[in-house]
Amino acid sequence: MPRVSMRDVLIEAGQKVLHERGYAATAVQDIAAVAGVPKGSFFNHFGTKEAFAALALERYVSVNEAWLANLMDDDSLPVLQRITMLIDAVNDRLKATGGREGCMVGNLSIEVAGASEPLRAQLSDAFGRWCAPLAGALERAQARGEIALTVDPATMANFIQNGLQGAILRAKVDRTSAPVDQFKVILLDLLRQGEAEVKQTIPKRP
């Protein structure tokens, strides 16, 4: 049986601690304790907490990017249904944690974007990676005549991402999923207006 990598154990355990407590409140000793390894092992694998955070963040972003791409690439479902599924999945996670965790990317953006240029750049890239599958789904839906947009798909994808992150932050502060519920209602209403506009422009059969 292959030996379990202590590096992977540390990243998995540390990601959870980092997500729950934030960057400043997470000590190297905390990560080592949760992983069940000596503190020295952390420095042997990562050197600094900033270097570790970059790897933990990449793991979090990659997992969510793959899930999002799989969802948004499924053109057998209407794009509004896929967007609904995305927001519902976010809400389910918020409810499962009592709203305490929020989004790791959003949390770190607030906490470290002004203190670490490498992490700031990585966080900015993460948002772009998450927007890309959504923009692609919107673009294909528009090309099929499924929806009409008053802005280009990339701009709408960024709008959705920005609004959802804001709703997650408010949900974390208020300890309620209401902000995400409200965002979903308003966003879908906005997108359905584009859906209705397409239907109105389709010529009726003689």
Side-chain angles (χ1 to χ4, degrees), residues 5 9 18 41 44-45 50 70 73 84 97 107 115 129 134 139-140 142 153 155 170 175 193-194 202:
S5 167
V9 170
L18 195 63
S41 295
N44 288 338
H45 287 291
E50 183 182 50
N70 185 62
D73 287 349
T84 299
T97 61
N107 295 346
R129 287 164 59 182
L134 183 53
E139 184 175 8
R140 294 191 303 275
Q142 188 174 35
T155 299
R170 180 67 184 272
R175 294 288 195 268
Q193 290 177 28
I202 297 176

Side-chain angles (χ1 to χ4, degrees), residues 63-77:
V63 169
N64 285 279
E65 180 184 22
W67 178 85
L68 183 59
N70 185 62
L71 174 63
M72 290 300 155
D73 287 349
D74 185 3
D75 287 338
S76 68
L77 300 175

Side-chain angles (χ1 to χ4, degrees), residues 6-77:
M6 286 298 100
R7 181 177 180 275
D8 293 340
V9 170
L10 281 161
I11 292 175
E12 182 176 359
Q15 179 195 311
K16 295 177 182 177
V17 177
L18 195 63
H19 194 171
E20 291 172 359
R21 303 182 190 179
Y23 186 80
T26 298
V28 170
Q29 182 59 48
D30 298 330
I31 297 171
V34 172
V37 301
K39 184 178 178 179
S41 295
F42 178 94
F43 292 107
N44 288 338
H45 287 291
F46 309 110
T48 66
K49 188 169 82 166
E50 183 182 50
F52 163 79
L55 292 170
L57 177 60
E58 174 57 29
R59 182 179 185 275
Y60 179 85
V61 171
S62 295
V63 169
N64 285 279
E65 180 184 22
W67 178 85
L68 183 59
N70 185 62
L71 174 63
M72 290 300 155
D73 287 349
D74 185 3
D75 287 338
S76 68
L77 300 175

Side-chain angles (χ1 to χ4, degrees), residues 66-197:
W67 178 85
L68 183 59
N70 185 62
L71 174 63
M72 290 300 155
D73 287 349
D74 185 3
D75 287 338
S76 68
L77 300 175
V79 71
L80 296 192
Q81 183 178 344
R82 282 173 277 164
I83 291 172
T84 299
M85 292 168 67
L86 163 62
I87 299 174
D88 286 346
V90 169
N91 227 352
D92 288 345
R93 179 61 182 171
L94 285 170
K95 291 174 182 177
T97 61
R100 292 184 300 274
E101 289 186 1
C103 171
M104 184 173 166
V105 172
N107 295 346
L108 290 179
S109 294
I110 294 170
E111 189 177 7
V112 305
S116 168
E117 177 56 25
L119 289 177
R120 183 210 63 76
Q122 187 176 354
L123 289 162
S124 178
D125 178 68
F127 284 124
R129 287 164 59 182
W130 284 355
C131 280
L134 183 53
L138 289 167
E139 184 175 8
R140 294 191 303 275
Q142 188 174 35
R144 291 193 303 269
E146 186 180 333
I147 58 171
L149 299 174
T150 57
V151 297
D152 66 272
T155 299
M156 179 56 75
N158 275 286
F159 172 79
I160 294 171
Q161 180 69 254
N162 296 343
L164 185 55
Q165 283 294 326
I168 292 170
L169 176 61
R170 180 67 184 272
K172 183 179 178 182
V173 171
D174 291 350
R175 294 288 195 268
T176 172
S177 63
V180 178
D181 292 329
Q182 293 162 2
F183 172 73
K184 182 176 79 169
V185 169
I186 295 171
L187 174 65
L188 293 179
D189 183 63
L190 175 65
L191 293 174
R192 286 191 183 109
Q193 290 177 28
E195 189 179 43
E197 183 179 333

